[in-house]
Amino acid sequence: MDRRSFIWGMGGFFVGASLSGGAAFAYRELRRARFRASLPPSPPPAFESRGLVDGWILSAADRERIGSAEYALQSELLEIVDGSDIPGRPFSREVVKGVDDCVEACEKETRCTRFTFAKATHPDETKRNVCWLKTGEGEADSPRAPDYISGWRR
Amino acid sequence: MVFVARSELDLSRYDAIVAGSGPAGGSVAEGLSRGNRKVLVIETGGSEYRAEAQENYSAVKGGGHYVGSHWSSHWIRMLGGTSNIWGGWCAPFSERNFDRWPISRSDLEPYYLSAAQALYRPPDFLTYRKSVLDQFEYRAISDEDPLRYSDPVKFATFPNDPNVHVLLEHSVGALTASQDGSRVEAFELYGVSEGNRELIELREEQALVLAGGAMGNAQILLASNDGTRASIGDEHGQVGRYLQEHPHMGVGKIICRANALIPSMDEGFGGIRHALFPSDSLYHEAGELDVCLVLSEASIDSTDQTERYLSEEFGPGARAYRVSVMAGRAENHGSRAEGFDPCGWPLLFAQCVVDSDSLEAVDFVMRSLGSSLLDSNVGRLRFDVERVYSDIGGGGHTIGTTRMGTDATSSVVDSDCRVHGYRNLFIAGSSVFATGSCVNPTLTIVALAQRLADYLAKGI
Ligand SMILES: Cc1cc2nc3c(=O)[nH]c(=O)nc-3n(C[C@H](O)[C@H](O)[C@H](O)COP(=O)(O)OP(=O)(O)OC[C@H]3O[C@@H](n4cnc5c(N)ncnc54)[C@H](O)[C@@H]3O)c2cc1C
């Protein structure tokens, strides 16, 4: 390796971040185990009352307005729910720019009866901004999954 | 600076011998030269990067959070040391960061000024502070072109400076203490290309300055062991004990009103990065672990419902910033050396663990920032709490392996950077930091090195 390619390879300020991923994972497990063992069952109240929506620290008024039709994604064909990972059989998996693209892709594809989009904030980097187009009917309800947005044909 | 060959060298003619040519060693040499002292800088590496020297002499084993290569890749063996790849971010430690040091910010103040000058920075960032939010203060991190201490043109007084000689491809190895243990009387000089060793005796008045990086300084001391007593400087098992790194993590996003968090800075500041720091009271509540929140421009994701709402709420001209953290500490919890490198020196073993206090401090400060933004209705914070616990990196901030203190049983050097008990042995570099603050270390390394040079120039 010559000096130039070496410096190129090293030049990032956050160079350490990529090197220690594995160790961090092991640590997270350890930390989780510790948490379970040592934390009282109820979360610290002071911040909890503020409410975390996808990590955003918001007021109750914010939450109400975000949930309102004014800011919700609109689609004539699809019913869209924030914070849901709807079951179904995926037939396509693509990384897209945002949820709008995922909605549009599903609207255009007749086979698509439902979709799931993983938000850019998803903790698993490999899933961020992934759009799954799916087939499937029936139960559209799913457990709350804040890292996803899903939709189904009305 | 004048490059010299071993054959033409009379080691007894120098006032000081410095091991290492990075920002620490370079600054000590420069300062001594200004005080009209003659210095020899001994550097393992050559004038170009060579992978072989790097692999042979900068190997470190790692446990805990950071793999071995994390440490070796932040400890570069060539003329100019790690400054050949550093990023150039500079910020001074604040008063509270010296709480557990035997010196204070005011002792370093004049040297911060000259260090900023030596690194080609306009000095305004050293003192600028602005309270922008309840419990948070804005400070600028200087981000100018990083000075390479191998650059013959930019490296100020060095070109042709007859006071500074540089011997490349040689290392300072094991030190030998005098019979009464009050000074270092000799050191091993190792020639990298031939693999030859010589014992060099130090004159009574000659000073030896270790500036081999935080890993290198610990290594030289741990190598200084004749088998009959503890290694030099390690009489109380302190060498390498307090190795620290700053955990780095990307932890969130802010959407706020235009001009709310970032003051409009005049051009005299030069290139800067923006950062928020907790107030003193928040810092104490956070367990006296400092947290630096670096804000970088980001875009608003208009496909995200919440971001769409916030951009209207705080518009027109709402701004978005990514928040990344440099925080507290990751501290050594393991053994310090294990095995030997090709020239027979101890191979370092770092078991550096990000302690839960640091993670909790980040968690607490981030939530406090979220609350302050909400209460003042200036903006909102998205806190990616998962990433605090899962995406921990580092900055190449290798700190604390020979820390400063008043007591030899809990530190390695005194407030003059002299190894406790050895009157001619000194250390330059972040290894002497008693605690690590949360900002990039090099400005403080240069300031401390200049202070040490002043001290030596007066005293030799
Ligand atoms: C990718 C990266 C980005 C960084 N970005 C920043 C930043 O933005 N801001 C900041 O403040 N800091 C940054 N740093 C850290 C910065 O590079 C270091 O703080 C700085 O270089 C340390 O200076 P030093 O002189 O103490 O050690 P080094 O620069 O490591 O120099 C030590 C020298 O000593 C030599 N040596 C070691 N042992 C011996 C021996 N026994 N005999 C002879 N010679 C020896 C080595 O070969 C080396 O040349 C960064 C580091 C990296 C790796």
Side-chain angles (χ1 to χ4, degrees):
Chain A
M1 185 165 57
D2 63 13
R3 180 175 159 209
R4 192 194 201 102
S5 62
F6 173 77
I7 289 173
W8 257 111
M10 295 280 310
F13 178 67
F14 289 104
V15 66
S18 57
L19 295 169
S20 55
F25 179 75
Y27 183 71
R28 182 173 48 190
E29 294 304 306
L30 192 100
R31 171 90 190 154
R32 285 209 172 119
R34 256 195 65 177
F35 244 134
R36 270 200 297 274
S38 63
L39 276 190
S42 57
F47 298 110
E48 216 50 34
S49 60
R50 281 343 212 326
L52 284 166
V53 173
D54 300 344
W56 284 102
I57 297 175
L58 302 168
S59 66
D62 288 333
R63 265 174 294 161
E64 205 168 295
R65 298 208 28 219
I66 292 166
S68 74
E70 194 184 342
Y71 296 100
L73 264 176
Q74 305 289 344
S75 163
E76 305 254 300
L77 306 176
L78 301 166
E79 179 78 38
I80 299 166
V81 175
D82 191 357
S84 130
D85 178 10
I86 191 178
R89 285 179 303 281
F91 60 87
S92 146
R93 178 191 194 279
E94 302 250 1
V95 175
V96 294
K97 255 189 71 209
V99 67
D100 290 359
D101 292 351
C102 196
V103 170
E104 198 183 313
C106 187
E107 284 176 342
K108 278 191 187 150
E109 166 64 70
T110 45
R111 264 192 302 163
C112 180
T113 58
R114 41 188 68 187
F115 77 87
T116 297
F117 170 77
K119 296 180 188 175
T121 50
H122 197 292
D124 179 350
E125 258 173 66
T126 62
K127 293 201 172 137
R128 291 184 192 152
N129 280 25
V130 170
C131 168
W132 290 270
L133 303 184
K134 303 176 177 178
T135 60
E137 297 106 53
E139 198 52 65
D141 264 357
S142 57
R144 213 182 127 60
D147 298 313
Y148 297 94
I149 299 173
S150 291
W152 59 92
R153 295 232 176 226
R154 292 177 200 275
Chain B
M1 91 183 117
V2 179
F3 292 104
V4 288
R6 172 66 192 105
S7 54
E8 58 189 355
L9 205 61
D10 170 10
L11 279 111
S12 68
R13 65 182 285 264
Y14 300 100
D15 297 309
I17 292 173
V18 177
S21 65
S27 305
V28 170
E30 197 180 19
L32 282 168
S33 164
R34 215 178 301 119
N36 219 8
R37 302 292 169 176
K38 298 210 173 331
V39 197
L40 175 68
V41 176
I42 300 175
E43 166 59 52
T44 312
S47 54
E48 294 290 321
Y49 177 75
R50 274 181 48 239
E52 196 192 334
Q54 184 68 19
E55 276 159 30
N56 282 343
Y57 304 114
S58 285
V60 179
K61 293 186 185 180
H65 269 99
Y66 299 98
V67 294
S69 62
H70 176 82
W71 306 106
S72 8
S73 61
H74 296 102
W75 181 23
I76 302 305
R77 294 271 177 172
M78 71 173 270
L79 177 66
T82 312
S83 77
N84 288 290
I85 59 167
W86 76 306
W89 291 24
C90 285
F93 287 17
S94 59
E95 289 78 0
R96 69 190 184 207
N97 297 142
F98 291 95
D99 281 355
R100 277 166 256 175
W101 291 52
I103 60 172
S104 66
R105 161 100 187 222
S106 57
D107 293 313
L108 271 196
E109 205 66 67
Y111 297 103
Y112 269 138
L113 206 60
S114 49
Q117 198 175 17
L119 293 164
Y120 297 90
R121 319 277 160 147
D124 295 10
F125 74 97
L126 292 172
T127 47
Y128 184 83
R129 287 163 182 212
K130 187 170 186 213
S131 172
V132 286
L133 203 60
D134 183 35
Q135 301 285 18
F136 287 89
E137 180 177 272
Y138 172 93
R139 289 182 225 161
I141 296 177
S142 165
D143 182 20
E144 290 284 314
D145 274 355
L147 175 64
R148 317 274 177 223
Y149 281 75
S150 53
D151 182 332
V153 181
K154 269 203 121 183
F155 193 20
T157 62
F158 262 27
N160 310 317
D161 180 344
N163 283 335
V164 180
H165 288 181
V166 178
L167 176 64
L168 293 175
E169 301 194 348
H170 282 76
S171 285
V172 170
L175 318 179
T176 314
S178 61
Q179 203 64 36
D180 65 357
S182 70
R183 61 183 283 268
V184 172
E185 63 178 16
F187 68 91
E188 183 186 77
L189 181 66
Y190 177 82
V192 170
S193 44
E194 320 273 295
N196 55 321
R197 294 163 205 273
E198 296 170 70
L199 194 68
I200 306 290
E201 296 205 358
L202 288 166
R203 276 189 294 109
E204 191 70 32
E205 322 77 64
Q206 268 179 318
L208 180 63
V209 179
L210 309 184
M215 286 290 166
N217 295 339
Q219 185 181 45
I220 296 170
L221 293 179
L222 293 173
S224 304
N225 189 317
D226 62 5
T228 64
R229 51 186 167 178
S231 299
I232 289 181
D234 195 38
E235 290 78 3
H236 299 279
Q238 297 293 298
V239 174
R241 205 38 95 199
Y242 309 103
L243 167 68
Q244 294 185 12
E245 169 56 288
H246 290 142
H248 282 52
M249 39 227 165
V251 289
K253 185 170 185 178
I254 290 173
I255 293 179
C256 64
R257 294 185 204 290
N259 308 324
L261 294 182
I262 299 195
S264 53
M265 311 289 289
D266 75 57
E267 282 180 13
F269 277 82
I272 49 171
R273 299 269 166 173
H274 309 295
L276 298 180
F277 292 80
S279 67
D280 282 346
S281 65
L282 204 59
Y283 162 77
H284 289 298
E285 266 186 90
E288 301 187 353
L289 284 161
D290 219 342
V291 177
C292 167
L293 305 168
V294 180
L295 306 189
S296 12
E297 299 266 351
S299 52
I300 292 168
D301 177 2
S302 59
T303 66
D304 182 283
Q305 205 165 319
T306 307
E307 295 198 18
R308 249 192 334 260
Y309 159 75
L310 294 175
S311 71
E312 282 189 29
E313 191 69 9
F314 298 109
R319 306 302 282 276
Y321 301 101
R322 266 184 300 111
V323 185
S324 49
V325 156
M326 299 190 278
R329 61 170 180 233
E331 200 168 86
N332 200 17
H333 285 228
S335 65
R336 301 164 292 159
E338 196 180 278
F340 297 92
D341 76 7
C343 70
W345 295 335
L347 201 54
L348 298 170
F349 182 96
Q351 172 103 27
C352 209
V353 175
V354 182
D355 62 9
S356 56
D357 293 350
S358 291
L359 297 174
E360 275 156 31
V362 174
D363 200 304
F364 173 75
V365 169
M366 283 296 286
R367 286 172 194 273
S368 303
L369 176 64
S371 285
S372 284
L373 285 165
L374 193 55
D375 292 342
S376 60
N377 206 31
V378 153
R380 298 285 185 270
L381 172 73
R382 190 189 77 215
F383 177 27
D384 305 334
V385 65
E386 272 278 319
R387 310 193 92 207
V388 177
Y389 298 96
S390 63
D391 274 359
I392 301 166
H397 304 171
T398 313
I399 290 169
T401 51
T402 64
R403 78 178 180 189
M404 186 190 283
T406 47
D407 181 355
T409 64
S410 59
S411 60
V412 178
V413 300
D414 65 17
S415 57
D416 296 322
C417 295
R418 183 201 312 263
V419 176
H420 291 301
Y422 296 87
R423 67 174 189 272
N424 63 340
L425 181 60
F426 298 86
I427 298 188
S430 48
S431 63
V432 306
F433 292 6
T435 53
S437 170
C438 61
V439 294
N440 314 71
T442 307
L443 180 77
T444 303
I445 293 176
V446 172
L448 279 166
Q450 291 179 338
R451 177 173 170 271
L452 172 59
D454 266 10
Y455 176 85
L456 291 174
K458 281 190 205 117
I460 296 172

